[in-house]
Every structure is written in C-alpha cells, then in structure tokens.
Amino acid sequence: MAAIASDHGHGHGHDEALHHQFEDMEQQNDSYIVGMWTFLVTEVMFFGALFLIYTLYRSMYQLDFYLAHKVLDTRMGMINTFVLLFSSFTVAMSVRFAQLQNRMGVLAMLGITQICAGTFMVIKYFEYQEKFGHHLYPGPGFGSSPSYLNGASPNFAQLYFGLYFGMTGLHGLHVLIGMIVIGYLMAKWWRNSPMVTKDYIPTELVGLYWHFVDLVWIFLFPLMYLMPKP
Amino acid sequence: MSAIPADPNVTAVSATPRTETNYLNADWSIKSWLLTGDHKRIGILYLVTVSFFFFLGSIAAGLIRYELTAPAGFILESETYNKVFSAHGIIMVFLFLIVAIPAILGNFLLPLMIGARDMAFPRLNLLSWYLFMIGGACIMGGMINGGVDSGWTFYVPYSSMYANSNVTMVLTGIFIAGFSSITTGINFIVTTHKMRAPGMTWFRLPLMVWALYATGVVIILGTPVVAVTLLCIIFERVFHLPIFSAELGGDPVLFQHLFWFYSHPAVYIMILPAFGVQSELIANFARKRVFGYHLIAFSSLAIAGLGFLVWGHHMFISSESMYQGVVFSLISFLVAIPSAIKVFNWTATLYKGNIRLQTPMIYALGFIGLFTIGGLTGLFLGCLGTDVHLTNTYFIVAHFHYVMVGGAVTAFLGGLHYWWPKMTGRLYPESIAKWNAVLVFIGFNLTFFPQFIVGFMGMPRRYHYYYFAPEFQPYHIMSTLGSTVLALSFIIPGLYLTRSLTKGAKASANPWGAHGLEWETSSPPPTSNFLQIPVVLDEVYDFDPVTEHEQDKAAQALEVPSYLSNEAKSIESEKEKR
Amino acid sequence: MASTPLSSDSKHGGHSHIINPWVLFFNMLWLMFLLVITFIASEFDFGNVIINNVVAMLIATVKAVFVIWIFMGVMHASKLAKIWVVTGFGVLFLMFGILGDYATRQYEPVSGWETNVPNNGGSAFPREWPPQKKPEQVGENFRPRG
Ligand code: HEM
Ligand SMILES: [Cu+2]
C-alpha cells in the first residue's frame, strides 16, 4: 500500500475546543453529531422494545387495559405534554443562541428548560403518589382498593401498571439525567468555559438528547393516557 | 504501487527512523494506563482483562467436561452443574466472545488501519473499558455469591420466578457490559466514517475495517434491545413490575423473541470481526490481492442486515407460530449465502497464491474448515423438520462451538499472533507457535466432533446424567480428552506470548512484509500512531504473487528469512520497476 | 474513488445552519395544536377501535416527524445523520415483526387447539379456525401475586 506523509500537519493549538485526534473543527463537530445520532438510535431501540411489549399486551387485553387506564389523570398528562413541547422549543432556542454566541440567551433558555423539566417531574411525582395511594403499584398489595380498578381484571391491570411504571419511570429517569446534563451545561456557560462558548456542539448535543426525551413522551402520552374504548 | 514518489526516504513512513518512545514506554505509571485515552493502551487493557475472563470461563468448561465423562456424574451436584454451565456460557459469551476481537484487536487496529491518530472519542473508549470492568465485577460477584442456574439465555421463568437473587446481580452486570459494547460500537462507526486519512476511500479500507463497521452497526441496533429486556427481568425481581409473568397474563415467549432479537445478531458480533481478521490473514499469507474485495465487504453488511431477520430460528419449538417459523427458516438459509461468499472468496484467494504457512496462516486455514462445518450444521438446525430432532441436544452445542470457538477464537488467536509484533514490538517463537496452532486444530476437533454424533444420537444439552444411554459415554470421554488437549493448546500461547514480551526478538516495523497502514508505522507504534498523518494513494491488498515469489527465491539465496528482508527488498524492487 | 473521505462525508457540519426562531416557535405551536387534536381524536369514535388506535398513532407519528425534522435539525443535517434516523426507525419497525408471530398463531391448523378454552389468560391468542371473537376477559383468572 502506498502511503506518504501528508503535508498539512496537526490542527493542534489552533482552537481551544479542538481535541488532539481531529484535524479541524469541522471533522470534530461532524463526529460528535454522528456519534450522538448513533447513540439516539440505540435509545430508539431501547424504548422501542418497551413499546413493543406494551403493544402486544394491550392488543391481547384491550378491555382490561382500557378499564385500568381510566385511573390516569388525562389533564395532568396533557399539561405535562405541553410542558415538554415548550421545553423542546426553549432548548432549540438555546442551541440557536449558542450558535450566535449569545451567552445570556443560552442561559435564559436553558433555565426555562430546567424549570419545565422540574415541573414535569413534580407533576409526575403527584401522579405516582396518587397511584401508590390507591394501591395501584404492582406487587403483593396490588388492587386492595378494587374500586380504582374500574372492573379490570387485577392480573391484567397489574400488567398495565407494570408497564406504566416501567415505561414512564424509565422516561422520567431520562428526564432526570437530562436535568443533570443541562445543569452541567449551564454551569459551563455560566463560567464562560471555552468548551461551550467557542463551540456550539455541546449545547446542540444536549438539545438532541432533550428532544429525544420529548419524542418518547409524544408516544407515551396517547398510548398510556388516551386509550380508545374497545 | 503506482504513485510512489521517487525518493524512497520520503516514500514510506516506515522508512522514517524508529522512534525510541512508543505508546508502551511513553509513560510507565499505573495512572497513565488507567486514565489513558490511547486506543492502543485500551486494547491492551482489554487484552489483559478479557484473557482473565477467558481463563475463568475455561475452568468452568473443564468442570463440565470432566463431569460428563461418567454417565451419572461424579464431581458436581445437579444444582452446581447447572450453575457451572451457566457460568461458562455467561462468561464466555458476554465477557469473552463479544468483547474479544472487537475490543482488543478492533480497538488496537481500527485507527491504525485507517490512518487516524486515535478513535473519534477516546474518553468514551476508556469509559467502555470501565463499564466492562464494572459489568464483569457484577457478574463475577453474582457468581461468587452463589451463581445462577438459568443458562446464558436467562429464559423466564427460570430467571424470574425460579431463580435466586444472584440473577439480579448478574443481569445488572450484563446490562452494564452491554453499554460498554454500545460505546465501543459508537466509536467504531464514527471513527470509520469520520477519521479516515486523506485518500482512504471506502473501497480502499482493509476488510477488517468493513467487518468492524458492520459489527458496530449490529452492536448499536441490537444491544439496547437485550439491555431493556434484561432490565425488565430486573424490574420484575426488584420492583415487582410484572412484564413476562405468565401467571398474570404476561408472555414468557415474548422474552425469548426479544432475547434472540439481540442474541442472534450477537453471534454475528462475535463472528464478523473474525471474518475481518480472516480476510487480512488470508490476503497477507497468500501474498495475493483478496479475491472479490467488494463482495466480502458487502457480505459483511448483508450479514449485519440479515442477522436481524432470523431470530425466530431459535424458537421453532417454543409456541412460535408455524407461519413465522417457515419465514425464519427461509431467511436463515439466506444468511448462509453471504457467509458462503466469504468462504469461497478466501479459498479463491488461496488459489495460485504464494502461500506461507506461518502461524497466523495455519489458524486462518483452520478457520475456513471449522467455520464451514459450523455454518453448514447451522443449516441443519435452520431446517424446521430436523431442528425438532436436534434442538436442545449436543448437536447444537457442537454447532455453536464450531462457529464460536472454531471460528471466532481461532481467528482471534490467528489475529493475535499476526499483530503481536505490532502490539508489543516483539516476535513470538515461530516454530512452537506453529505446532501449537496445529494442536488447537486437533484438540478442537477431538472435543467437538464427537458432540455432533452424540447429539444426533439424542444426548440432551445441559444434562449431566445420561445413565439411560451408556452408549454415549465413549463420545463424552473422547470429548473430554480433546478438551484437555485444547486447554493445553490455550495455555501454551499464554506462556510463550508472555515470555516473548521480554525475551522475544525485537520486531521490525513490518515483519510480515504485509501491506496496510498499521505496518507503515513503527512497532510498537508511537502514541500518536503516525508521526505524520499518511496520505493513501492505493488500495491495501496490492500484492503481486509473481514478484513475491521471485523475492522469496532471492531471499532463500541470501539465506535470510523472507519475512525479515522483505521490507528492504520491496523498496529495491520498487526502484527497479521505475 | 478519487475523492477524499472527509469531503465526501461532510458536506455540512462545521458551518452550522442557524435556524430562524420563528420556525421553531411555529413548530411548537403546531405541535401543541396537534396535541389538542390528539386529545379530541381520542374522545371521538371513528367507528372501530383499530381505526381509533391507528389515528392516534398517526397523529403521534406526525408530531414525532416534526420534532425530528425541525427541532432536532435533521432538515439541515448531513446525509449520514438522515441515514441513521431512517435506519434506527427501520430496524425498530423490523422488531415489530415479533407481533407477526402473535398475529398468525390463530391460523395454525393444529387440531386440538380449538377445543373450548374458557379463558386465554395464558400466552397465546386462541388458536381457532376461523378466528372467533375472544371470550370476555374481565375479572377472571384472578390470582394475586404473593
Ligand atoms: C450460517 C449461518 C447459521 C445458521 C443458519 C445458524 C442456525 C442456527 C439455528 C437454527 C440455531 C438454533 C438451534 C436450536 O436452538 O434449535 C442455532 C443455534 C446457535 N447458533 Fe447458529 N447458525 C449460523 C451461524 C452461527 C454463527 C456464525 C454463530 C456464532 C458465532 C452461531 C451461534 C449459535 C449459537 C450460540 C447457538 C445456540 C444458542 C443457544 O440456544 O444457546 N451460529 N444456529
Ligand atoms: Cu441464530
């Protein structure tokens, strides 16, 4: 194989945000974006498997799932969806501000996003608390207040609530991780770290992640809260 | 080699003076190893730890084999036996095979082969090793704590209702190790896309890179599915969330679907990189351009794609629908096509090649035979009718050991020998290694061929009592004998390779006269791989068997081993040509 | 094959596309509008539970497409990113092939399966030919987990 030494040397030192393994910022940014998308593909498969399980069980036990789902508070779910959609918008705006290197803009937008995420978690907390109070958490005590089952078979209702807690729980975990990451990013912006101010990509990556969290909820909400009557 | 500039000193990076500092001796502190971002060092870290897990898995295998020499067992209790074969499967699959070639050879070679300074995400790469270690620790913790007896497949309800709580620990370990796999996969994909040296176009890539890329694709598409499936079992055990519990209307067969949706592709995670190694070895030791480069490259991708369409062939005798069974059976036959394409192309590469029977080549030739047997018996199993007879017998055990040990492990050993001079800068002792390669072949066949027969006769897998059929015993004894030979042939390379680290002769930059960017830099390479990023002007496999043959003759006249003088002469012949 | 990989793969990237904030804003409004539509559609009966479900999922898919295309910037992303998005959802779709198993089980010509099973609380759909309405599932097969 023929190989000669290339003329252009390292891109070292040109840019504070450039890592040593890359030639230039373009290559680095591209790599990060592609890497993030491959990661999101794994996330799609991760949640996809859960959606598959849910689809199968719901098609098997339509009526029971329908009856069991009535306990959920659609209003709360709606509010949460609005909150997440809005936070997606603010995150997208923060990326825009990062591109324009508008530090205060980024911080403001990310701050609003954090507030939205917090609201989401608080609402989720109250929802969970209510379910726990009604003995709707799967396990030994499940269904000891049968009136909340709306006549659904306790077995199949347990399946439903197992999936409900499993899926929304994992989603909530993603929200929580998102909050931590956004907090970290905000700290970086606050301290004017060149890692974020010289390069909008970290902000963009966090944004992509956050949109993905929103995406999962877009499917979770109608599937869990808005079942048509079989 | 058309576009080489006239002055040989500028020609090849190998002609630049050997650097004294390389990635191994740049910094000796432990911290510099544990916090390294260098893909080569991470490869070495993986090598050490994965070898350790291989050792543990082999001990379990030995226990199984010795137990089976007597029809009613004589070492292990039934429960212990279940735990031992589970431990063997779990360690070998999740802690050895899935990691071995991608994370050791792949990590080490991918940036070198494409002319990059490092992986795209070095810190992620390091994280992957730590995740692997944490996962490995959890798995080992669960096993030390009492072990699991569900087999490596974790079918519910064996793993959910009828298991002890160690299963949670082990599953957590596999979950974490899965993320280690995912991070490696992401790195492979991004690195292949974005880090290639100038001039390294897709169709100039070494076939190993194609194979690693396909592996990366399979990893990132498959692993999350098994991760979440195993997580569901953890949820069920820890948080009482019923997901596969049949007693509540859940479906255990769904677990099998999801498990095999990953685990069939996972067998390709194990074998695809082995295909890559194989292509490199065959081309280099036949001194010939690999036959059908494009076909081999695309068959890797085809395997990656088709691999996702055959999971159901593991479930023919579960309550899977017959109609889907038929479809899966058909597609399983289709998968054999790209595998066969590769085998045919390798054999065609041998044809009229200038074959050098050095250690890696012996492994490579063994691979062709063993993988062919393994793949063909896969077709027996993919056939609906025969599978009903053969499933859950030793026939399956033999099938997958032919592909996983005869295929992946053989290729791993071959690749390790081939790139050993590059990784360590030392030559291993050729003659003993050569005999050992033959020993692996013999030991392997002695171990696993009898299992085909005894399996066909009806010996069930995962049983340790067969007093109902004493006629099985001779086969088991043969197999145990073979496994002893095989164990020996794994210990010997461990010894001589370790010894060569200090006692071995120093290796030149290109001891094999091989082509490929990794051979253009010194052995061992400097920390940044290349002193200057190479520009690629030609494809990798531009061997010319005729001139190679003449070179060999000339080398014999000079009484110098051809692989040592090769480098100097290739530059000379270059000059002559011009 | 003459082109260098760096230029062939990365038409975009380094110079990012700065998106108009109004596009983002109207995208958000549009998504919220679709959310309201989702809610209304869930109250509305299109005549058949399957159609109702399909409608709900279609709206969700439309929402997802807008999030991916505009918020996640796939509109301006490199071809590679687009390929990954398609591959990801493609393989996800493939995985849903698992449902094909459950959908075809009932057509298996296995004699004996069709004998009257009062409740199919187990793993499979009833294996009957021709497929008949499933028995009522409510309130039976009750065995609390201990
Ligand atoms: C040539 C294509 C192949 C075909 C058609 C094929 C077919 C099959 C079939 C049908 C089974 C299921 C048998 C049963 O459970 O009844 C099976 C099992 C297995 N195969 Fe293959 N196979 C092929 C290649 C491979 C390769 C390349 C590997 C690994 C590197 C592999 C590893 C395994 C393993 C590990 C099992 C057993 C899983 C278990 O039940 O524990 N196969 N194969
Ligand atoms: Cu398979």
Side-chain angles (χ1 to χ4, degrees):
Chain A
M1 150 170 275
I4 56 168
S6 76
D7 298 334
H8 49 91
H10 295 194
H12 282 220
H14 292 320
D15 212 324
E16 287 164 80
L18 184 65
H19 291 294
H20 77 102
Q21 71 270 29
F22 297 109
E23 289 296 319
D24 50 30
M25 279 317 272
E26 177 169 340
Q27 188 191 13
Q28 171 171 334
N29 288 352
D30 259 15
S31 300
Y32 277 108
I33 296 281
V34 175
M36 192 63 195
W37 272 107
T38 31
F39 172 71
L40 289 182
V41 167
T42 68
E43 288 274 34
V44 167
M45 295 305 290
F46 189 87
F47 277 99
L50 286 168
F51 279 110
L52 172 68
I53 298 173
Y54 178 80
T55 312
L56 179 68
Y57 289 164
R58 184 163 139 195
S59 70
M60 279 161 92
Y61 311 118
Q62 286 188 27
L63 187 55
D64 297 86
F65 271 42
Y66 172 74
L67 294 175
H69 107 283
K70 281 187 174 173
V71 177
L72 299 196
D73 191 336
T74 314
R75 236 176 352 162
M76 299 269 213
M78 275 294 256
I79 295 173
N80 260 350
T81 321
F82 275 117
V83 167
L84 273 193
L85 286 177
F86 182 66
S87 73
S88 248
F89 165 71
T90 54
V91 157
M93 283 303 283
S94 78
V95 175
R96 197 189 108 87
F97 282 126
Q99 286 168 330
L100 300 174
Q101 309 209 327
N102 179 341
R103 177 161 162 271
M104 277 340 271
V106 174
L107 281 172
M109 285 302 152
L110 288 181
I112 300 176
T113 312
Q114 285 286 44
I115 294 170
C116 289
T119 318
F120 181 90
M121 290 310 279
V122 168
I123 293 183
K124 218 57 266 135
Y125 170 78
F126 283 117
E127 282 193 79
Y128 275 14
Q129 200 191 32
E130 190 195 337
K131 308 289 169 316
F132 273 94
H134 296 167
H135 299 287
L136 290 176
Y137 186 79
F142 182 83
S144 44
S145 333
S147 59
Y148 293 109
L149 290 179
N150 290 316
S153 143
N155 282 2
F156 305 147
Q158 262 194 81
L159 269 189
Y160 172 76
F161 281 104
L163 284 164
Y164 170 79
F165 281 109
M167 292 171 81
T168 56
L170 274 180
H171 177 263
L173 188 69
H174 276 75
V175 174
L176 217 61
I177 294 173
M179 288 173 76
I180 295 170
V181 177
I182 293 176
Y184 179 73
L185 186 72
M186 283 174 78
K188 285 275 171 195
W189 273 101
W190 185 255
R191 280 194 256 112
N192 247 323
S193 156
M195 179 186 127
V196 290
T197 50
K198 294 271 183 298
D199 183 10
Y200 80 101
I201 285 292
T203 319
E204 165 91 19
L205 296 186
V206 174
L208 281 177
Y209 175 85
W210 191 256
H211 293 310
F212 175 80
V213 173
D214 187 23
L215 204 63
V216 174
W217 187 257
I218 283 181
F219 282 98
L220 269 182
F221 173 63
L223 281 174
M224 287 288 174
Y225 290 79
L226 301 176
M227 271 186 226
K229 192 169 165 32
Chain B
M1 310 259 277
S2 48
I4 277 197
D7 184 0
N9 285 328
V10 206
T11 304
V13 182
S14 60
T16 52
R18 279 276 295 283
T19 40
E20 284 309 314
T21 52
N22 55 49
Y23 82 100
L24 287 173
N25 65 12
D27 188 347
W28 286 105
S29 65
I30 298 220
K31 189 171 153 231
S32 75
W33 276 89
L34 291 183
L35 296 179
T36 180
D38 184 353
H39 68 101
K40 301 182 285 304
R41 286 190 164 203
I42 295 171
I44 300 289
L45 288 176
Y46 264 118
L47 176 64
V48 174
T49 45
V50 167
S51 306
F52 173 68
F53 286 126
F54 182 66
F55 178 68
L56 293 182
S58 305
I59 290 179
L63 279 175
I64 298 172
R65 279 308 340 152
Y66 278 92
E67 171 75 1
L68 283 169
T69 46
F74 66 106
I75 317 177
L76 306 171
E77 298 278 301
S78 295
E79 296 206 334
T80 325
Y81 181 78
N82 290 350
K83 288 175 181 171
V84 170
F85 77 66
S86 305
H88 169 66
I90 293 166
I91 294 176
M92 286 303 196
V93 170
F94 295 107
L95 297 180
F96 175 68
L97 279 166
I98 288 181
V99 239
I101 304 186
I104 299 171
L105 297 178
N107 250 335
F108 189 88
L109 291 169
L110 182 60
L112 284 169
M113 282 183 154
I114 62 176
R117 265 182 236 111
D118 205 327
M119 286 283 193
F121 310 122
R123 273 180 294 179
L124 200 65
N125 208 1
L126 183 65
L127 176 72
S128 133
W129 183 73
Y130 276 103
L131 288 176
F132 176 73
M133 291 310 288
I134 297 170
C138 287
I139 294 174
M140 295 323 297
M143 286 180 179
I144 291 165
N145 203 22
V148 296
D149 56 5
S150 58
W152 78 279
T153 47
F154 294 102
Y155 277 9
V156 285
Y158 298 137
S159 60
S160 57
M161 197 177 228
Y162 301 108
N164 53 28
S165 49
N166 292 322
V167 112
T168 314
M169 186 90 153
V170 173
L171 289 177
T172 314
I174 296 176
F175 184 82
I176 297 171
F179 278 90
S180 134
S181 203
I182 289 175
T183 46
T184 306
I186 292 178
N187 243 328
F188 282 0
I189 289 173
V190 178
T191 308
T192 318
H193 270 295
K194 291 292 164 201
M195 307 294 284
R196 282 168 286 141
M200 183 58 99
T201 56
W202 279 94
F203 293 109
R204 285 178 188 167
L205 287 174
L207 286 165
M208 174 86 176
V209 177
W210 277 96
L212 289 174
Y213 181 77
T215 312
V217 173
V218 177
I219 287 177
I220 67 153
L221 291 173
T223 314
V225 177
V226 83
V228 80
T229 312
L230 299 181
L231 193 66
C232 284
I233 300 186
I234 298 177
F235 278 178
E236 181 156 347
R237 296 192 58 91
V238 180
F239 302 117
H240 296 283
L241 300 184
I243 296 191
F244 300 117
S245 349
E247 80 274 21
L248 297 178
D251 186 0
V253 177
L254 183 60
F255 172 83
Q256 299 183 17
H257 269 301
L258 290 167
F259 182 81
W260 289 115
F261 185 83
Y262 162 75
S263 291
H264 182 81
V267 306
Y268 291 113
I269 297 176
M270 307 167 200
I271 202 72
L272 274 172
F275 288 161
V277 172
Q278 180 71 5
S279 304
E280 299 296 315
L281 298 186
I282 293 277
N284 179 51
F285 290 95
R287 313 303 298 169
K288 207 172 148 225
R289 183 174 194 279
V290 117
F291 182 85
Y293 174 96
H294 288 77
L295 276 176
I296 296 190
F298 283 124
S299 64
S300 285
L301 294 183
I303 288 177
L306 282 173
F308 279 102
L309 292 167
V310 297
W311 73 86
H313 68 206
H314 294 271
M315 303 170 55
F316 287 152
I317 54 143
S318 71
S319 68
E320 183 188 41
S321 143
M322 185 191 92
Y323 299 97
Q324 222 187 13
V326 172
V327 175
F328 280 130
S329 176
L330 278 174
I331 307 176
S332 301
F333 283 102
L334 288 185
V335 168
I337 296 174
S339 317
I341 287 178
K342 285 179 186 273
V343 171
F344 290 141
N345 281 348
W346 295 323
T347 28
T349 309
L350 297 177
Y351 178 67
K352 286 201 171 165
N354 181 19
I355 293 173
R356 297 176 179 173
L357 275 183
Q358 278 154 333
T359 314
M361 186 56 162
I362 298 176
Y363 281 114
L365 293 177
F367 176 101
I368 296 185
L370 299 180
F371 176 74
T372 307
I373 296 179
L376 287 178
T377 50
L379 294 183
F380 297 15
L381 298 171
C383 187
L384 283 170
T386 42
D387 184 66
V388 174
H389 174 61
L390 297 174
T391 190
N392 285 338
T393 66
Y394 260 79
F395 194 89
I396 291 199
V397 177
H399 155 68
F400 66 70
H401 281 90
Y402 261 80
V403 273
M404 303 207 302
V405 182
V409 177
T410 306
F412 173 61
L413 284 173
L416 196 63
H417 282 85
Y418 181 54
W419 283 292
W420 189 257
K422 184 55 61 184
M423 293 170 97
T424 62
R426 303 284 182 155
L427 296 173
Y428 60 85
E430 179 67 30
S431 60
I432 176 174
K434 224 183 253 181
W435 286 111
N436 187 69
V438 177
L439 198 64
V440 170
F441 188 78
I442 297 171
F444 175 82
N445 278 303
L446 196 56
T447 313
F448 293 106
F449 202 82
Q451 296 188 358
F452 275 129
I453 303 169
V454 78
F456 193 80
M457 288 163 74
M459 171 76 203
R461 76 190 277 201
R462 294 177 175 173
Y463 277 35
H464 72 138
Y465 283 173
Y466 52 96
Y467 50 78
F468 51 85
E471 68 270 24
F472 293 165
Q473 194 176 11
Y475 298 100
H476 280 299
I477 291 181
M478 237 190 284
S479 184
T480 306
L481 218 83
S483 67
T484 316
V485 176
L486 196 60
L488 194 70
S489 69
F490 287 147
I491 294 172
I492 294 173
L495 295 180
Y496 68 70
L497 287 180
T498 319
R499 188 172 178 277
S500 78
L501 287 178
T502 49
K503 299 271 159 51
K506 283 233 159 60
S508 70
N510 188 357
W512 306 111
H515 299 193
L517 284 181
E518 78 267 31
W519 302 107
E520 310 260 345
T521 180
S522 55
S523 310
T527 304
S528 62
N529 289 351
F530 302 94
L531 298 182
Q532 278 182 309
I533 287 295
V535 172
V536 183
L537 301 175
D538 218 332
E539 67 147 46
V540 202
Y541 303 108
D542 53 351
F543 296 98
D544 181 358
V546 181
T547 49
E548 294 276 351
H549 192 63
E550 278 155 14
Q551 273 177 33
D552 268 12
K553 273 194 188 156
Q556 271 161 18
L558 284 170
E559 290 179 355
V560 181
S562 61
Y563 57 86
L564 284 183
S565 63
N566 212 30
E567 199 186 331
K569 253 180 287 93
S570 70
I571 295 174
E572 261 171 39
S573 71
E574 247 1 290
K575 272 192 203 158
E576 275 165 26
K577 255 197 261 168
R578 228 167 290 109
Chain C
M1 267 190 256
S3 69
T4 61
L6 289 181
S7 65
S8 69
D9 262 358
S10 51
K11 289 270 148 37
H12 291 273
H15 18 270
S16 56
H17 187 96
I18 299 184
I19 204 162
N20 184 335
W22 288 108
V23 173
L24 296 177
F25 183 71
F26 282 115
N27 191 36
M28 178 192 72
L29 284 189
W30 167 237
L31 285 170
M32 289 179 168
F33 172 72
L34 282 177
L35 173 62
V36 176
I37 296 281
T38 315
F39 181 74
I40 296 171
S42 74
E43 301 282 289
F44 192 79
D45 190 2
F46 295 94
N48 175 330
V49 60
I50 297 180
I51 301 178
N52 292 345
N53 278 316
V54 168
V55 168
M57 281 302 98
L58 272 183
I59 301 173
T61 311
V62 172
K63 275 193 281 188
V65 167
F66 275 92
V67 170
I68 293 173
W69 193 249
I70 293 174
F71 276 165
M72 295 175 100
V74 169
M75 187 168 48
H76 299 291
S78 64
K79 221 198 263 162
L80 191 57
K82 289 193 179 105
I83 291 175
W84 272 121
V85 177
V86 174
T87 317
F89 285 97
V91 176
L92 178 62
F93 189 71
L94 243 168
M95 186 168 66
F96 273 72
I98 289 175
L99 295 178
D101 175 14
Y102 297 85
T104 53
R105 276 185 197 181
Q106 52 189 318
Y107 303 111
E108 282 195 80
V110 183
S111 63
W113 283 104
E114 71 278 12
T115 46
N116 191 23
V117 185
N119 184 307
N120 72 328
S123 64
F125 280 118
R127 303 184 182 228
E128 327 176 305
W129 182 261
Q132 277 153 24
K133 249 192 104 212
K134 277 195 282 170
E136 188 64 47
Q137 290 164 347
V138 183
E140 291 182 41
N141 193 17
F142 175 51
R143 181 150 55 87
R145 272 156 67 85

